[in-house]
């Protein structure tokens, strides 16, 4: 057990022992013993005094019998001696008084020096009742005394006989009795206290143990169980506590599992998720949120939203939503080159104050797609407008009279034809490209022999090359695997490459087409010794409408779409394109398509 637990138990022991059990019982028992003792004391005193009085009375009667003769015969001197002897024996003071109050004899004082006793309260009492007790201070011997006086009517006259004992002596004897009684009470209290202490401890121990277990469980030590073998209510409580610990353990395990699942799901999401409490303090955040919104997700828990997200629009929207507004969508603009759309809404969890949920989406590809679309439309319009305006210009000039000009008429018509052809090429290329892009599946899947396709294209384009005095050769490696795909597309891809080589190679140039196989692919390579492509442009030539020299390309009847088509053809067949080029030296283009040996 740790020190906190021990301290807790110590306090509890004190509380249980002394406040709850020990002290109340002890006080109760002490009160009971004190009450009984006080009662016994009072009874003891009265019984003792009563006994003493009774004794004094018996002695009085005894003495009365013995002095009667002396008084009857008037032997006063003998009377004095007699009472002295009796007084010694009985250990008391004996006084004989005449009816007029004159003291005849006294064993403790000289009668001659004693004043008249007619008015002593005990004598007055004896006159009234025959006998009378009195406790008072004795003026003769200067001490508290208990007196008993008796009235005696004798033939020789009236007398009073009085016996007295020291009240101080009586009190002394009573004190001894009280001391004994008090001692007995104290011993009884001590024994009772010990018994109560043992009893309290006996009954507190299991409760202390249970409390220790409950405290340990509250601290999260869910494996702790009560080992008490008590029966009765405490046993039942211990079993209930153990069952409760089992149940809490299970619930916690379930909650932990649920939380772990939630965190795993959140972690695997590509959308960023942040959940905050009512004060916008972050309670839950995933990796993607940090990546998209530009903060370290692992350090964001417990921080306030504005401390981690440095985007004014989003923070403002969060405050507005929390202030009772509708859910909001905010575009954050580029953060680290990414476009992010953030959706903010309130949520209420189990009656607590409302919190905020932020879901962030990466819209970079959407934004890029929209930009590409705009760019494409602008490019297409531009590409269409140029030949159309040329055609229109020539047509207008013809209409204005050039038609009748034997030289210019045919020339302008030829130009119109060329540009119309250019337009047709453009539209065909656009259609081919859009078909390639919109159909993830190839329209036809057939075994294609790329070697044969290469030979066919070279044969087809040989006249164009010859027109420029170029040599166009084809070399097909033996034992080529076939590829699976659309023969029209593949032929078109090769044709575009060979056509470009003819276009961008000067008069008398040399163009070699090679078809060979590498590890897994069939490679169609078109090599020329033409104008080449500057290194700066090389990375972009497969983009649509990208040309190194726009007017030259157009002059050649190019559309700027040829290489984009080649790239798409390769890609839809699971392949790729490559280019190597050097200005004024020539270029090598490769269309690479996976071969199918097993099917070949
Ligand atoms: P175009 O219809 O203009 O030929 P392409 O997409 O086929 O369009 O080619 C794009 C650009 O790449 C061309 O405009 C040209 O500048 C360059 N290019 C293509 N092939 C070659 C080549 N064999 N030699 C030099 N430049 C080439």
């Amino acid at each position: 057990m740790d020190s906190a637990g021990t301290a807790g138990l110590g306090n509890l022991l004190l509380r249980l022992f002394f406040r709850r059990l020990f002290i109340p019982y002890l006080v109760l028992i002490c009160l009971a013993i004190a009450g009984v003792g006080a009662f016994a004391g009072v009874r003891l005193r009265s019984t003792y005094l009563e006994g003493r009085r009774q004794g004094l009375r018996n002695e009085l009667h005894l003495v009365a019998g013995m002095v009667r003769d002396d008084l009857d015969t008037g032997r006063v001197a003998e009377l004095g001696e007699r009472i002295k002897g009796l007084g010694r024996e009985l250990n008391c003071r004996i006084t004989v008084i005449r009816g007029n109050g004159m003291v005849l004899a006294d064993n403790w004082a000289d009668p001659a020096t004693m004043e008249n006793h007619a008015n002593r309260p005990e004598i007055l009492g004896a006159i009234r009742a025959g006998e009378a007790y009195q406790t008072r201070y004795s003026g003769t011997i200067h001490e508290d005394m208990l007196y008993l006086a008796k009235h005696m009517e004798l033939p020789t006259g009236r007398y009073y006989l009085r016996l007295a004992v020291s009240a101080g002596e009586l009190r002394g004897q009573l004190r001894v009795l009280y001391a004994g009684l008090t001692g007995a009470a104290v011993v009884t209290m001590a024994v009772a206290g010990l018994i109560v202490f043992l009893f309290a401890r006996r009954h507190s121990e299991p409760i202390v143990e249970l409390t220790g277990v409950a405290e340990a469980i509250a601290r999260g030590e869910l494996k702790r169980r009560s080992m008490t073998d008590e029966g009765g209510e405490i046993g039942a409580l211990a079993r209930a506590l153990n069952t409760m610990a089992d149940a809490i353990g299970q619930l916690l395990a379930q909650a932990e599992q649920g939380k772990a699942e939630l965190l795993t799901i959140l972690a695997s999401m590509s959308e960023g998720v942040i959940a905050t409490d009512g004060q916008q303090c972050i309670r839950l955040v995933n990796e993607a949120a940090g990546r998209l919104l530009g903060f370290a997700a692992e350090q964001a828990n417990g921080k306030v939203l504005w401390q981690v997200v440095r985007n004014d629009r989003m923070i403002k929207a969060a405050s507005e939503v929390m202030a009772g507004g509708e859910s909001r969508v905010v575009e954050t603009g580029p953060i680290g080159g990414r476009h992010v759309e953030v959706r903010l809404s309130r949520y209420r969890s189990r009656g607590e104050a409302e919190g905020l949920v932020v879901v962030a989406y990466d819209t970079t590809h959407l934004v890029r797609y929209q930009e590409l679309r705009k760019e494409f439309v602008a490019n297409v319009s531009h590409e269409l407008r140029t030949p159309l305006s040329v055609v229109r210009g020539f047509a207008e000039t013809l209409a204005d009279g050039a038609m009748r000009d034997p030289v210019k008429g045919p020339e302008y018509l030829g130009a119109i034809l060329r540009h119309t052809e250019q337009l047709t090429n453009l539209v065909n290329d656009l259609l081919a490209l859009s078909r390639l892009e919109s159909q993830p599946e190839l329209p036809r899947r057939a075994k294609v022999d790329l070697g044969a396709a290469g030979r066919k294209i070279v044969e087809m384009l040989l006249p164009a090359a010859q027109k420029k005095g170029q040599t166009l050769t084809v070399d097909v490696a033996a034992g080529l695997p076939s590829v699976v795909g659309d023969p029209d597309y593949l032929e078109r891809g090769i044709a575009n490459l060979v056509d470009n080589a003819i276009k961008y190679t000067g008069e008398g140039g040399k163009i070699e087409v090679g078809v060979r196989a590498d590890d897994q692919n069939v490679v169609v390579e078109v090599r020329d010794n033409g104008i080449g492509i500057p290194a700066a442009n090389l990375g972009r030539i497969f983009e649509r409408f990208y040309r190194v020299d726009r007017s030259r390309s157009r002059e050649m009847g190019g559309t700027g779409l040829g290489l984009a088509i080649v790239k798409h053809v390769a890609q839809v067949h699971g392949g790729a394109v490559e280019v190597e080029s050097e200005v004024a030296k020539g270029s090598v283009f490769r269309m690479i398509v996976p071969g199918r040996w097993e099917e070949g």
Side-chain angles (χ1 to χ4, degrees):
M1 192 180 290
D2 60 20
S3 61
T6 321
L9 257 183
N11 289 339
L12 193 88
L13 262 167
L14 272 177
R15 236 177 26 233
L16 280 172
F17 271 19
F18 298 105
R19 260 195 236 152
R20 297 285 159 82
L21 285 172
F22 183 59
I23 290 179
Y25 274 108
L26 191 66
V27 168
L28 203 68
I29 286 172
C30 288
L31 281 177
I33 291 173
V36 169
F39 180 71
V42 169
R43 289 291 298 161
L44 196 69
R45 183 175 187 274
S46 65
T47 311
Y48 176 77
L49 285 178
E50 190 50 46
R52 200 67 191 87
R53 279 181 179 190
Q54 194 57 48
L56 202 59
R57 198 155 172 256
N58 292 342
E59 286 165 8
L60 183 72
H61 284 268
L62 187 80
V63 173
M66 297 180 109
V67 298
R68 186 179 291 269
D69 284 351
D70 291 337
L71 288 174
D72 272 349
T73 55
R75 287 177 297 202
V76 175
E78 285 162 28
L79 179 70
E81 284 308 311
R82 190 181 297 282
I83 60 166
K84 272 189 185 139
L86 283 170
R88 255 194 314 278
E89 273 174 41
L90 298 173
N91 188 29
C92 64
R93 180 182 173 196
I94 301 169
T95 315
V96 182
I97 302 152
R98 270 188 208 282
N100 62 3
M102 200 189 90
V103 177
L104 262 181
D106 193 297
N107 64 335
W108 284 12
D110 180 5
T113 62
M114 288 167 72
E115 60 189 42
N116 189 296
H117 273 44
N119 285 329
R120 292 291 196 267
E122 65 276 9
I123 302 298
L124 293 173
I127 295 170
R128 273 196 309 275
E131 273 180 27
Y133 286 102
Q134 182 67 43
T135 306
R136 63 171 176 80
Y137 184 75
S138 163
T140 311
I141 55 168
H142 310 292
E143 202 183 316
D144 274 340
M145 302 291 285
L146 170 63
Y147 295 99
L148 176 60
K150 182 178 162 48
H151 168 233
M152 293 170 76
E153 226 23 270
L154 299 178
T156 51
R158 184 192 292 167
Y159 297 95
Y160 299 106
L161 177 63
R162 192 181 76 170
L163 260 65
V165 288
S166 161
E169 205 175 293
L170 280 183
R171 273 199 290 273
Q173 284 164 356
L174 267 177
R175 262 199 298 277
V176 172
L177 281 177
Y178 283 154
L181 191 65
T182 311
V186 167
V187 170
T188 314
M189 279 180 193
V191 171
L194 186 68
I195 293 171
V196 167
F197 180 82
L198 294 174
F199 168 83
R201 200 173 63 178
R202 168 83 188 79
H203 282 80
S204 304
E205 262 172 1
I207 295 175
V208 169
E209 200 244 274
L210 286 185
T211 313
V213 172
E215 280 182 346
I217 292 170
R219 278 196 306 274
E221 293 172 30
L222 291 176
K223 297 266 180 291
R224 275 288 291 277
R225 294 290 180 272
S226 169
M227 294 301 171
T228 184
D229 50 4
E230 288 286 317
E233 287 88 349
I234 291 188
L237 184 62
R239 283 191 296 281
L241 191 69
N242 288 349
T243 315
M244 187 188 78
D246 290 343
I248 291 176
Q250 276 173 10
L251 281 177
L252 268 183
Q254 279 171 10
E256 287 289 318
Q257 197 186 344
K259 192 172 176 197
E261 272 174 22
L262 178 68
L263 289 177
T264 314
I265 292 168
L266 280 181
S268 63
M269 279 172 71
S270 56
E271 288 83 10
V273 178
I274 304 173
T276 77
D277 62 13
Q279 275 65 51
Q280 296 194 26
C281 194
I282 296 177
R283 282 184 170 185
L284 206 70
V285 55
N286 69 352
E287 198 43 54
R291 201 175 55 243
L292 293 175
L293 297 170
F295 61 87
E298 62 277 9
Q299 285 156 22
N301 253 322
K303 288 192 182 159
V304 184
L305 195 61
W306 56 260
Q307 288 179 308
V308 294
V309 177
R310 305 268 178 216
N311 185 288
D312 293 345
R313 272 165 59 203
M314 192 182 140
I315 294 304
K316 191 162 164 265
S319 302
E320 284 169 7
V321 170
M322 283 308 290
E326 294 289 305
S327 295
R328 293 273 302 272
V329 175
V330 176
E331 278 178 20
T332 64
I335 298 179
R338 288 173 184 278
H339 291 267
V340 178
E341 187 181 289
V342 181
R343 191 175 294 266
L344 303 113
S345 38
R346 275 181 298 164
Y347 80 104
R348 185 184 285 277
S349 69
R350 270 185 262 144
E352 285 176 31
E354 284 184 337
L356 185 73
V357 178
V358 180
V359 183
Y361 305 88
D362 185 350
T363 53
T364 312
H365 61 289
L366 272 179
V367 172
R368 178 87 192 108
Y369 173 76
Q370 277 164 3
E371 280 170 4
L372 279 177
R373 214 185 49 172
K374 277 188 221 153
E375 199 182 313
F376 180 73
V377 170
N379 276 330
V380 170
S381 327
H382 181 76
E383 293 297 328
L384 288 172
R385 201 183 309 122
T386 315
L388 274 177
S389 55
V390 173
V391 167
R392 185 187 175 146
F394 281 123
E396 277 173 1
T397 317
L398 284 171
D400 285 349
M403 205 162 64
R404 285 180 292 279
D405 189 319
V407 183
K408 289 205 173 127
E411 189 187 322
Y412 290 174
L413 272 175
I416 287 175
L417 265 177
R418 263 202 328 278
H419 282 96
T420 316
E421 203 175 318
Q422 166 94 13
L423 275 172
T424 314
N425 287 346
L426 184 66
V427 171
N428 283 342
D429 281 357
L430 276 174
L431 277 176
L433 205 55
S434 106
R435 259 203 303 273
L436 275 165
E437 279 180 348
S438 61
Q439 289 174 337
E441 289 293 313
L442 283 167
R444 273 167 66 194
R445 287 196 154 270
K447 254 192 239 174
V448 183
D449 176 356
L450 283 184
R455 282 200 195 91
K456 182 177 161 191
I457 300 300
V458 166
E459 200 179 317
M460 206 173 79
L461 293 177
L462 196 58
Q466 282 169 344
K467 219 175 180 179
K468 289 181 83 177
Q470 296 166 336
T471 52
L472 173 60
T473 56
V474 60
D475 175 32
V476 178
L480 277 182
S482 55
V483 301
V484 175
D486 187 305
D488 292 344
Y489 280 144
L490 289 165
E491 281 171 16
R492 176 146 195 180
I494 301 170
N496 282 2
L497 291 180
V498 180
D499 184 48
N500 276 353
I502 296 169
K503 278 195 299 194
Y504 301 108
T505 302
E507 304 273 329
K510 194 169 126 195
I511 297 148
E512 293 164 340
V513 178
V515 186
R516 56 183 171 79
D518 67 9
D519 297 351
Q520 292 155 13
N521 306 298
V522 179
V523 181
V524 180
E525 189 178 275
V526 180
R527 183 182 292 269
D528 65 56
N529 60 354
I531 60 169
I533 304 160
N537 306 79
L538 214 51
R540 297 192 61 188
I541 53 167
F542 290 100
E543 286 175 20
R544 298 173 187 134
F545 297 115
Y546 189 84
R547 291 128 152 172
V548 177
D549 183 343
R550 194 170 282 269
S551 57
R552 182 173 192 154
S553 152
R554 210 170 274 135
E555 219 171 84
M556 303 284 180
T559 60
L561 294 173
L563 286 182
I565 290 171
V566 178
K567 183 175 146 192
H568 269 91
V569 166
Q571 280 176 349
V572 296
H573 286 85
V577 285
E578 277 179 10
V579 61
E580 287 165 30
S581 184
E582 215 175 310
V583 176
K585 290 221 166 129
S587 315
V588 186
F589 283 85
R590 291 187 200 94
M591 185 173 82
I592 304 162
V593 183
R596 295 279 188 269
W597 274 264
E598 67 278 18
E599 291 173 36

